[in-house]
mmCIF file of all heavy atoms in Angstrom:
data_model
loop_
_atom_site.group_PDB
_atom_site.id
_atom_site.type_symbol
_atom_site.label_atom_id
_atom_site.label_comp_id
_atom_site.label_asym_id
_atom_site.label_seq_id
_atom_site.Cartn_x
_atom_site.Cartn_y
_atom_site.Cartn_z
ATOM 1 N N SER S 541 0.003 4.085 25.488
ATOM 2 C CA SER S 541 -0.933 4.997 24.850
ATOM 3 C C SER S 541 -0.176 5.998 23.946
ATOM 4 O O SER S 541 0.793 6.608 24.396
ATOM 5 C CB SER S 541 -1.739 5.766 25.904
ATOM 6 O OG SER S 541 -2.537 4.881 26.652
ATOM 7 N N LEU S 542 -0.641 6.154 22.704
ATOM 8 C CA LEU S 542 0.081 6.961 21.738
ATOM 9 C C LEU S 542 -0.579 8.313 21.555
ATOM 10 O O LEU S 542 -1.818 8.430 21.492
ATOM 11 C CB LEU S 542 0.123 6.215 20.398
ATOM 12 C CG LEU S 542 0.753 4.836 20.468
ATOM 13 C CD1 LEU S 542 0.744 4.169 19.087
ATOM 14 C CD2 LEU S 542 2.172 4.895 21.025
ATOM 15 N N ALA S 543 0.252 9.344 21.416
ATOM 16 C CA ALA S 543 -0.243 10.696 21.271
ATOM 17 C C ALA S 543 -1.034 10.870 19.962
ATOM 18 O O ALA S 543 -1.920 11.702 19.871
ATOM 19 C CB ALA S 543 0.905 11.709 21.343
ATOM 20 N N GLY S 544 -0.680 10.083 18.964
ATOM 21 C CA GLY S 544 -1.338 10.215 17.663
ATOM 22 C C GLY S 544 -2.653 9.455 17.537
ATOM 23 O O GLY S 544 -3.293 9.479 16.471
ATOM 24 N N GLY S 545 -3.050 8.800 18.616
ATOM 25 C CA GLY S 545 -4.299 8.031 18.551
ATOM 26 C C GLY S 545 -5.514 8.907 18.320
ATOM 27 O O GLY S 545 -5.745 9.862 19.057
ATOM 28 N N ARG S 546 -6.280 8.619 17.283
ATOM 29 C CA ARG S 546 -7.495 9.386 16.937
ATOM 30 C C ARG S 546 -8.618 8.385 16.681
ATOM 31 O O ARG S 546 -8.755 7.896 15.578
ATOM 32 C CB ARG S 546 -7.237 10.234 15.680
ATOM 33 C CG ARG S 546 -6.297 11.417 15.870
ATOM 34 C CD ARG S 546 -6.958 12.524 16.626
ATOM 35 N NE ARG S 546 -8.170 12.969 15.943
ATOM 36 C CZ ARG S 546 -8.200 13.836 14.943
ATOM 37 N NH1 ARG S 546 -7.066 14.346 14.487
ATOM 38 N NH2 ARG S 546 -9.338 14.177 14.388
ATOM 39 N N PRO S 547 -9.426 8.083 17.686
ATOM 40 C CA PRO S 547 -10.464 7.082 17.527
ATOM 41 C C PRO S 547 -11.415 7.335 16.348
ATOM 42 O O PRO S 547 -11.825 6.421 15.644
ATOM 43 C CB PRO S 547 -11.210 7.133 18.846
ATOM 44 C CG PRO S 547 -10.217 7.670 19.834
ATOM 45 C CD PRO S 547 -9.396 8.632 19.049
ATOM 46 N N ASP S 548 -11.734 8.619 16.091
ATOM 47 C CA ASP S 548 -12.674 8.928 15.007
ATOM 48 C C ASP S 548 -12.072 8.619 13.649
ATOM 49 O O ASP S 548 -12.654 7.866 12.845
ATOM 50 C CB ASP S 548 -13.107 10.394 15.086
ATOM 51 C CG ASP S 548 -11.925 11.363 15.166
ATOM 52 O OD1 ASP S 548 -10.790 10.920 15.450
ATOM 53 O OD2 ASP S 548 -12.136 12.588 14.919
ATOM 54 N N ARG S 549 -10.871 9.140 13.384
ATOM 55 C CA ARG S 549 -10.217 8.867 12.101
ATOM 56 C C ARG S 549 -9.815 7.416 11.961
ATOM 57 O O ARG S 549 -9.832 6.855 10.875
ATOM 58 C CB ARG S 549 -8.992 9.789 11.936
ATOM 59 C CG ARG S 549 -9.369 11.254 11.741
ATOM 60 C CD ARG S 549 -8.180 12.150 11.794
ATOM 61 N NE ARG S 549 -7.150 11.769 10.819
ATOM 62 C CZ ARG S 549 -5.924 12.289 10.773
ATOM 63 N NH1 ARG S 549 -5.590 13.230 11.658
ATOM 64 N NH2 ARG S 549 -5.048 11.878 9.895
ATOM 65 N N HIS S 550 -9.434 6.811 13.074
ATOM 66 C CA HIS S 550 -9.060 5.402 13.063
ATOM 67 C C HIS S 550 -10.236 4.527 12.668
ATOM 68 O O HIS S 550 -10.112 3.605 11.864
ATOM 69 C CB HIS S 550 -8.543 5.012 14.456
ATOM 70 C CG HIS S 550 -7.918 3.648 14.515
ATOM 71 N ND1 HIS S 550 -6.684 3.372 14.020
ATOM 72 C CD2 HIS S 550 -8.395 2.470 15.028
ATOM 73 C CE1 HIS S 550 -6.387 2.111 14.234
ATOM 74 N NE2 HIS S 550 -7.412 1.532 14.822
ATOM 75 N N GLY S 551 -11.405 4.843 13.262
ATOM 76 C CA GLY S 551 -12.613 4.084 12.921
ATOM 77 C C GLY S 551 -13.010 4.287 11.479
ATOM 78 O O GLY S 551 -13.455 3.334 10.808
ATOM 79 N N GLU S 552 -12.852 5.501 10.966
ATOM 80 C CA GLU S 552 -13.185 5.748 9.554
ATOM 81 C C GLU S 552 -12.277 4.971 8.622
ATOM 82 O O GLU S 552 -12.708 4.427 7.611
ATOM 83 C CB GLU S 552 -13.051 7.251 9.265
ATOM 84 C CG GLU S 552 -14.132 8.097 9.938
ATOM 85 C CD GLU S 552 -13.853 9.582 9.819
ATOM 86 O OE1 GLU S 552 -12.859 9.944 9.161
ATOM 87 O OE2 GLU S 552 -14.641 10.386 10.372
ATOM 88 N N ALA S 553 -10.986 4.909 8.971
ATOM 89 C CA ALA S 553 -10.038 4.134 8.154
ATOM 90 C C ALA S 553 -10.390 2.649 8.188
ATOM 91 O O ALA S 553 -10.329 1.964 7.158
ATOM 92 C CB ALA S 553 -8.599 4.365 8.633
ATOM 93 N N ARG S 554 -10.737 2.143 9.363
ATOM 94 C CA ARG S 554 -11.129 0.738 9.481
ATOM 95 C C ARG S 554 -12.347 0.425 8.588
ATOM 96 O O ARG S 554 -12.365 -0.564 7.896
ATOM 97 C CB ARG S 554 -11.433 0.409 10.924
ATOM 98 C CG ARG S 554 -11.803 -1.060 11.145
ATOM 99 C CD ARG S 554 -12.448 -1.246 12.533
ATOM 100 N NE ARG S 554 -11.527 -0.902 13.597
ATOM 101 C CZ ARG S 554 -10.642 -1.713 14.133
ATOM 102 N NH1 ARG S 554 -10.540 -2.974 13.666
ATOM 103 N NH2 ARG S 554 -9.836 -1.338 15.102
ATOM 104 N N GLN S 555 -13.329 1.292 8.659
ATOM 105 C CA GLN S 555 -14.535 1.067 7.852
ATOM 106 C C GLN S 555 -14.245 1.152 6.356
ATOM 107 O O GLN S 555 -14.806 0.379 5.566
ATOM 108 C CB GLN S 555 -15.615 2.085 8.237
ATOM 109 C CG GLN S 555 -16.212 1.858 9.613
ATOM 110 C CD GLN S 555 -16.790 0.452 9.757
ATOM 111 O OE1 GLN S 555 -17.530 -0.026 8.878
ATOM 112 N NE2 GLN S 555 -16.449 -0.212 10.846
ATOM 113 N N ALA S 556 -13.363 2.068 5.980
ATOM 114 C CA ALA S 556 -12.992 2.197 4.564
ATOM 115 C C ALA S 556 -12.282 0.922 4.077
ATOM 116 O O ALA S 556 -12.537 0.450 2.957
ATOM 117 C CB ALA S 556 -12.067 3.408 4.349
ATOM 118 N N ILE S 557 -11.435 0.365 4.908
ATOM 119 C CA ILE S 557 -10.717 -0.860 4.546
ATOM 120 C C ILE S 557 -11.710 -2.026 4.414
ATOM 121 O O ILE S 557 -11.680 -2.756 3.417
ATOM 122 C CB ILE S 557 -9.624 -1.178 5.596
ATOM 123 C CG1 ILE S 557 -8.519 -0.110 5.554
ATOM 124 C CG2 ILE S 557 -9.046 -2.576 5.359
ATOM 125 C CD1 ILE S 557 -7.567 -0.191 6.736
ATOM 126 N N LYS S 558 -12.591 -2.145 5.392
ATOM 127 C CA LYS S 558 -13.555 -3.245 5.331
ATOM 128 C C LYS S 558 -14.516 -3.087 4.145
ATOM 129 O O LYS S 558 -14.906 -4.059 3.502
ATOM 130 C CB LYS S 558 -14.325 -3.339 6.648
ATOM 131 C CG LYS S 558 -13.449 -3.808 7.799
ATOM 132 C CD LYS S 558 -14.286 -4.031 9.063
ATOM 133 C CE LYS S 558 -13.421 -4.630 10.171
ATOM 134 N NZ LYS S 558 -14.210 -4.913 11.410
ATOM 135 N N HIS S 559 -14.891 -1.836 3.868
ATOM 136 C CA HIS S 559 -15.779 -1.593 2.734
ATOM 137 C C HIS S 559 -15.108 -1.981 1.426
ATOM 138 O O HIS S 559 -15.725 -2.561 0.521
ATOM 139 C CB HIS S 559 -16.163 -0.118 2.701
ATOM 140 C CG HIS S 559 -17.001 0.280 1.516
ATOM 141 N ND1 HIS S 559 -18.315 -0.172 1.359
ATOM 142 C CD2 HIS S 559 -16.735 1.023 0.420
ATOM 143 C CE1 HIS S 559 -18.785 0.295 0.242
ATOM 144 N NE2 HIS S 559 -17.871 1.019 -0.372
ATOM 145 N N GLU S 560 -13.818 -1.683 1.307
ATOM 146 C CA GLU S 560 -13.091 -2.033 0.091
ATOM 147 C C GLU S 560 -13.002 -3.544 -0.080
ATOM 148 O O GLU S 560 -13.129 -4.062 -1.191
ATOM 149 C CB GLU S 560 -11.695 -1.441 0.107
ATOM 150 C CG GLU S 560 -10.880 -1.648 -1.135
ATOM 151 C CD GLU S 560 -11.421 -0.872 -2.324
ATOM 152 O OE1 GLU S 560 -12.329 -0.020 -2.149
ATOM 153 O OE2 GLU S 560 -10.947 -1.127 -3.458
ATOM 154 N N LEU S 561 -12.828 -4.243 1.003
ATOM 155 C CA LEU S 561 -12.782 -5.709 0.972
ATOM 156 C C LEU S 561 -14.106 -6.259 0.493
ATOM 157 O O LEU S 561 -14.165 -7.210 -0.297
ATOM 158 C CB LEU S 561 -12.432 -6.259 2.310
ATOM 159 C CG LEU S 561 -10.987 -6.106 2.786
ATOM 160 C CD1 LEU S 561 -10.852 -6.477 4.267
ATOM 161 C CD2 LEU S 561 -10.041 -6.952 1.974
ATOM 162 N N GLU S 562 -15.190 -5.687 1.007
ATOM 163 C CA GLU S 562 -16.535 -6.177 0.670
ATOM 164 C C GLU S 562 -16.995 -5.730 -0.732
ATOM 165 O O GLU S 562 -17.679 -6.453 -1.434
ATOM 166 C CB GLU S 562 -17.531 -5.715 1.721
ATOM 167 C CG GLU S 562 -17.272 -6.272 3.108
ATOM 168 C CD GLU S 562 -18.058 -5.551 4.191
ATOM 169 O OE1 GLU S 562 -18.773 -4.571 3.835
ATOM 170 O OE2 GLU S 562 -17.970 -5.948 5.367
ATOM 171 N N ARG S 563 -16.570 -4.506 -1.113
ATOM 172 C CA ARG S 563 -17.037 -3.919 -2.358
ATOM 173 C C ARG S 563 -16.426 -4.544 -3.600
ATOM 174 O O ARG S 563 -17.057 -4.656 -4.643
ATOM 175 C CB ARG S 563 -16.728 -2.425 -2.370
ATOM 176 C CG ARG S 563 -17.285 -1.672 -3.565
ATOM 177 C CD ARG S 563 -16.909 -0.186 -3.487
ATOM 178 N NE ARG S 563 -15.460 -0.025 -3.623
ATOM 179 C CZ ARG S 563 -14.836 0.040 -4.797
ATOM 180 N NH1 ARG S 563 -15.505 -0.082 -5.927
ATOM 181 N NH2 ARG S 563 -13.532 0.212 -4.828
ATOM 182 N N SER S 564 -15.181 -4.969 -3.470
ATOM 183 C CA SER S 564 -14.429 -5.472 -4.631
ATOM 184 C C SER S 564 -13.879 -6.855 -4.401
ATOM 185 O O SER S 564 -12.672 -7.054 -4.442
ATOM 186 C CB SER S 564 -13.300 -4.502 -4.999
ATOM 187 O OG SER S 564 -13.793 -3.196 -5.190
ATOM 188 N N PRO S 565 -14.737 -7.836 -4.121
ATOM 189 C CA PRO S 565 -14.236 -9.172 -3.834
ATOM 190 C C PRO S 565 -13.425 -9.786 -4.979
ATOM 191 O O PRO S 565 -12.579 -10.616 -4.751
ATOM 192 C CB PRO S 565 -15.503 -9.978 -3.531
ATOM 193 C CG PRO S 565 -16.598 -9.221 -4.224
ATOM 194 C CD PRO S 565 -16.208 -7.792 -4.133
ATOM 195 N N SER S 566 -13.749 -9.356 -6.214
ATOM 196 C CA SER S 566 -13.014 -9.928 -7.354
ATOM 197 C C SER S 566 -11.543 -9.531 -7.346
ATOM 198 O O SER S 566 -10.713 -10.201 -7.949
ATOM 199 C CB SER S 566 -13.655 -9.464 -8.670
ATOM 200 O OG SER S 566 -13.623 -8.052 -8.768
ATOM 201 N N ARG S 567 -11.212 -8.419 -6.681
ATOM 202 C CA ARG S 567 -9.818 -7.963 -6.625
ATOM 203 C C ARG S 567 -9.023 -8.768 -5.613
ATOM 204 O O ARG S 567 -7.797 -8.764 -5.668
ATOM 205 C CB ARG S 567 -9.756 -6.474 -6.276
ATOM 206 C CG ARG S 567 -10.273 -5.553 -7.341
ATOM 207 C CD ARG S 567 -10.216 -4.120 -6.871
ATOM 208 N NE ARG S 567 -8.871 -3.771 -6.406
ATOM 209 C CZ ARG S 567 -8.611 -2.719 -5.619
ATOM 210 N NH1 ARG S 567 -9.611 -1.930 -5.227
ATOM 211 N NH2 ARG S 567 -7.400 -2.441 -5.248
ATOM 212 N N PHE S 568 -9.665 -9.375 -4.659
ATOM 213 C CA PHE S 568 -8.976 -10.045 -3.583
ATOM 214 C C PHE S 568 -9.354 -11.518 -3.595
ATOM 215 O O PHE S 568 -10.459 -11.875 -3.274
ATOM 216 C CB PHE S 568 -9.310 -9.389 -2.223
ATOM 217 C CG PHE S 568 -9.207 -7.907 -2.287
ATOM 218 C CD1 PHE S 568 -10.334 -7.124 -2.205
ATOM 219 C CD2 PHE S 568 -7.981 -7.309 -2.434
ATOM 220 C CE1 PHE S 568 -10.229 -5.756 -2.263
ATOM 221 C CE2 PHE S 568 -7.872 -5.937 -2.494
ATOM 222 C CZ PHE S 568 -9.003 -5.145 -2.418
ATOM 223 N N VAL S 569 -8.412 -12.356 -3.990
ATOM 224 C CA VAL S 569 -8.698 -13.769 -4.153
ATOM 225 C C VAL S 569 -9.261 -14.359 -2.848
ATOM 226 O O VAL S 569 -8.884 -13.961 -1.746
ATOM 227 C CB VAL S 569 -7.432 -14.537 -4.578
ATOM 228 C CG1 VAL S 569 -7.050 -14.149 -5.976
ATOM 229 C CG2 VAL S 569 -6.287 -14.279 -3.618
ATOM 230 N N ILE S 570 -10.162 -15.289 -3.000
ATOM 231 C CA ILE S 570 -10.862 -15.857 -1.869
ATOM 232 C C ILE S 570 -9.917 -16.531 -0.891
ATOM 233 O O ILE S 570 -10.134 -16.553 0.327
ATOM 234 C CB ILE S 570 -11.962 -16.849 -2.332
ATOM 235 C CG1 ILE S 570 -12.932 -17.186 -1.192
ATOM 236 C CG2 ILE S 570 -11.351 -18.100 -2.930
ATOM 237 C CD1 ILE S 570 -13.749 -16.016 -0.714
ATOM 238 N N SER S 571 -8.817 -17.109 -1.398
ATOM 239 C CA SER S 571 -7.870 -17.736 -0.493
ATOM 240 C C SER S 571 -7.283 -16.766 0.507
ATOM 241 O O SER S 571 -7.025 -17.085 1.654
ATOM 242 C CB SER S 571 -6.731 -18.421 -1.294
ATOM 243 O OG SER S 571 -6.088 -17.487 -2.120
ATOM 244 N N GLU S 572 -7.089 -15.496 0.072
ATOM 245 C CA GLU S 572 -6.542 -14.491 0.988
ATOM 246 C C GLU S 572 -7.585 -14.099 2.024
ATOM 247 O O GLU S 572 -7.245 -13.791 3.165
ATOM 248 C CB GLU S 572 -6.088 -13.258 0.199
ATOM 249 C CG GLU S 572 -4.874 -13.534 -0.698
ATOM 250 C CD GLU S 572 -3.722 -14.144 0.057
ATOM 251 O OE1 GLU S 572 -3.491 -13.758 1.223
ATOM 252 O OE2 GLU S 572 -3.043 -15.032 -0.502
ATOM 253 N N LEU S 573 -8.846 -14.101 1.647
ATOM 254 C CA LEU S 573 -9.893 -13.804 2.625
ATOM 255 C C LEU S 573 -9.997 -14.940 3.645
ATOM 256 O O LEU S 573 -10.239 -14.682 4.830
ATOM 257 C CB LEU S 573 -11.217 -13.596 1.913
ATOM 258 C CG LEU S 573 -11.309 -12.354 0.992
ATOM 259 C CD1 LEU S 573 -12.659 -12.276 0.326
ATOM 260 C CD2 LEU S 573 -11.018 -11.099 1.788
ATOM 261 N N VAL S 574 -9.811 -16.157 3.195
ATOM 262 C CA VAL S 574 -9.795 -17.295 4.127
ATOM 263 C C VAL S 574 -8.633 -17.149 5.103
ATOM 264 O O VAL S 574 -8.766 -17.351 6.316
ATOM 265 C CB VAL S 574 -9.728 -18.626 3.377
ATOM 266 C CG1 VAL S 574 -9.460 -19.783 4.336
ATOM 267 C CG2 VAL S 574 -11.011 -18.864 2.596
ATOM 268 N N ARG S 575 -7.448 -16.789 4.584
ATOM 269 C CA ARG S 575 -6.288 -16.555 5.458
ATOM 270 C C ARG S 575 -6.625 -15.514 6.506
ATOM 271 O O ARG S 575 -6.280 -15.642 7.684
ATOM 272 C CB ARG S 575 -5.077 -16.099 4.640
ATOM 273 C CG ARG S 575 -4.477 -17.091 3.687
ATOM 274 C CD ARG S 575 -3.316 -16.424 2.978
ATOM 275 N NE ARG S 575 -2.912 -17.107 1.777
ATOM 276 C CZ ARG S 575 -2.068 -18.113 1.731
ATOM 277 N NH1 ARG S 575 -1.527 -18.537 2.853
ATOM 278 N NH2 ARG S 575 -1.723 -18.678 0.577
ATOM 279 N N HIS S 576 -7.250 -14.441 6.029
ATOM 280 C CA HIS S 576 -7.543 -13.315 6.944
ATOM 281 C C HIS S 576 -8.467 -13.791 8.078
ATOM 282 O O HIS S 576 -8.266 -13.448 9.244
ATOM 283 C CB HIS S 576 -8.188 -12.195 6.151
ATOM 284 C CG HIS S 576 -8.554 -11.007 6.982
ATOM 285 N ND1 HIS S 576 -7.635 -10.182 7.552
ATOM 286 C CD2 HIS S 576 -9.788 -10.532 7.368
ATOM 287 C CE1 HIS S 576 -8.256 -9.212 8.247
ATOM 288 N NE2 HIS S 576 -9.558 -9.411 8.146
ATOM 289 N N VAL S 577 -9.474 -14.558 7.728
ATOM 290 C CA VAL S 577 -10.395 -15.067 8.751
ATOM 291 C C VAL S 577 -9.672 -15.954 9.750
ATOM 292 O O VAL S 577 -9.834 -15.837 10.974
ATOM 293 C CB VAL S 577 -11.549 -15.833 8.085
ATOM 294 C CG1 VAL S 577 -12.363 -16.609 9.150
ATOM 295 C CG2 VAL S 577 -12.454 -14.907 7.325
ATOM 296 N N LEU S 578 -8.832 -16.871 9.263
ATOM 297 C CA LEU S 578 -8.113 -17.766 10.162
ATOM 298 C C LEU S 578 -7.118 -17.016 11.049
ATOM 299 O O LEU S 578 -6.915 -17.395 12.211
ATOM 300 C CB LEU S 578 -7.389 -18.851 9.342
ATOM 301 C CG LEU S 578 -8.288 -19.851 8.625
ATOM 302 C CD1 LEU S 578 -7.469 -20.732 7.703
ATOM 303 C CD2 LEU S 578 -9.059 -20.707 9.636
ATOM 304 N N GLU S 579 -6.487 -15.989 10.514
ATOM 305 C CA GLU S 579 -5.524 -15.219 11.266
ATOM 306 C C GLU S 579 -6.169 -14.351 12.341
ATOM 307 O O GLU S 579 -5.612 -14.124 13.412
ATOM 308 C CB GLU S 579 -4.653 -14.351 10.355
ATOM 309 C CG GLU S 579 -3.693 -15.155 9.496
ATOM 310 C CD GLU S 579 -3.085 -14.343 8.372
ATOM 311 O OE1 GLU S 579 -3.421 -13.131 8.262
ATOM 312 O OE2 GLU S 579 -2.290 -14.891 7.581
ATOM 313 N N THR S 580 -7.376 -13.876 12.067
ATOM 314 C CA THR S 580 -8.056 -12.988 12.995
ATOM 315 C C THR S 580 -9.072 -13.704 13.892
ATOM 316 O O THR S 580 -9.600 -13.097 14.819
ATOM 317 C CB THR S 580 -8.775 -11.858 12.241
ATOM 318 O OG1 THR S 580 -9.671 -12.418 11.253
ATOM 319 C CG2 THR S 580 -7.784 -10.971 11.549
ATOM 320 N N HIS S 581 -9.321 -14.996 13.598
ATOM 321 C CA HIS S 581 -10.222 -15.805 14.434
ATOM 322 C C HIS S 581 -9.491 -17.128 14.773
ATOM 323 O O HIS S 581 -9.823 -18.202 14.245
ATOM 324 C CB HIS S 581 -11.527 -16.133 13.704
ATOM 325 C CG HIS S 581 -12.324 -14.933 13.346
ATOM 326 N ND1 HIS S 581 -11.995 -14.100 12.289
ATOM 327 C CD2 HIS S 581 -13.487 -14.409 13.876
ATOM 328 C CE1 HIS S 581 -12.870 -13.112 12.202
ATOM 329 N NE2 HIS S 581 -13.771 -13.283 13.149
ATOM 330 N N PRO S 582 -8.472 -17.074 15.627
ATOM 331 C CA PRO S 582 -7.648 -18.303 15.902
ATOM 332 C C PRO S 582 -8.477 -19.467 16.396
ATOM 333 O O PRO S 582 -8.049 -20.627 16.274
ATOM 334 C CB PRO S 582 -6.633 -17.818 16.924
ATOM 335 C CG PRO S 582 -7.172 -16.537 17.485
ATOM 336 C CD PRO S 582 -7.984 -15.934 16.402
ATOM 337 N N GLN S 583 -9.652 -19.201 16.952
ATOM 338 C CA GLN S 583 -10.465 -20.301 17.459
ATOM 339 C C GLN S 583 -10.999 -21.157 16.295
ATOM 340 O O GLN S 583 -11.436 -22.309 16.522
ATOM 341 C CB GLN S 583 -11.643 -19.791 18.295
ATOM 342 C CG GLN S 583 -12.716 -19.075 17.502
ATOM 343 C CD GLN S 583 -12.429 -17.613 17.267
ATOM 344 O OE1 GLN S 583 -11.300 -17.142 17.439
ATOM 345 N NE2 GLN S 583 -13.444 -16.835 16.866
ATOM 346 N N LEU S 584 -10.962 -20.639 15.077
ATOM 347 C CA LEU S 584 -11.444 -21.387 13.930
ATOM 348 C C LEU S 584 -10.353 -22.276 13.305
ATOM 349 O O LEU S 584 -10.655 -23.075 12.402
ATOM 350 C CB LEU S 584 -11.965 -20.424 12.840
ATOM 351 C CG LEU S 584 -13.132 -19.531 13.203
ATOM 352 C CD1 LEU S 584 -13.537 -18.685 12.015
ATOM 353 C CD2 LEU S 584 -14.308 -20.369 13.698
ATOM 354 N N ILE S 585 -9.113 -22.155 13.777
ATOM 355 C CA ILE S 585 -8.012 -22.872 13.142
ATOM 356 C C ILE S 585 -8.223 -24.382 13.220
ATOM 357 O O ILE S 585 -7.843 -25.099 12.289
ATOM 358 C CB ILE S 585 -6.684 -22.472 13.838
ATOM 359 C CG1 ILE S 585 -6.265 -21.088 13.359
ATOM 360 C CG2 ILE S 585 -5.578 -23.471 13.540
ATOM 361 C CD1 ILE S 585 -4.991 -20.586 13.999
ATOM 362 N N LYS S 586 -8.800 -24.881 14.292
ATOM 363 C CA LYS S 586 -8.989 -26.326 14.400
ATOM 364 C C LYS S 586 -10.376 -26.761 13.945
ATOM 365 O O LYS S 586 -10.753 -27.907 14.146
ATOM 366 C CB LYS S 586 -8.714 -26.798 15.838
ATOM 367 C CG LYS S 586 -9.596 -26.166 16.912
ATOM 368 C CD LYS S 586 -9.161 -26.682 18.277
ATOM 369 C CE LYS S 586 -10.018 -26.068 19.398
ATOM 370 N NZ LYS S 586 -9.596 -26.550 20.721
#
């Protein structure tokens, strides 16, 4: 457990990152989004 852990600010940063991914899909090539899905959902690899 880390002393700097801040669930509120951490959640806000997570939402900002996800919003940026969704808001500007043209900036992030679709192949990278596919990689992201496969890396974060290992059950989809097969």
Side-chain angles (χ1 to χ4, degrees):
S541 295
L542 303 180
R546 290 285 303 276
D548 52 345
R549 291 172 55 189
H550 189 76
E552 291 172 2
R554 181 195 298 275
Q555 289 304 312
I557 293 169
K558 291 187 174 181
H559 176 68
E560 185 68 10
L561 288 169
E562 296 167 357
R563 185 181 66 84
S564 305
S566 60
R567 290 177 55 197
F568 312 110
V569 291
I570 194 66
S571 57
E572 293 306 322
L573 295 178
V574 170
R575 292 180 198 274
H576 179 70
V577 169
L578 292 172
E579 290 167 0
T580 55
H581 299 76
Q583 71 275 14
L584 299 181
I585 285 178
K586 59 183 179 180

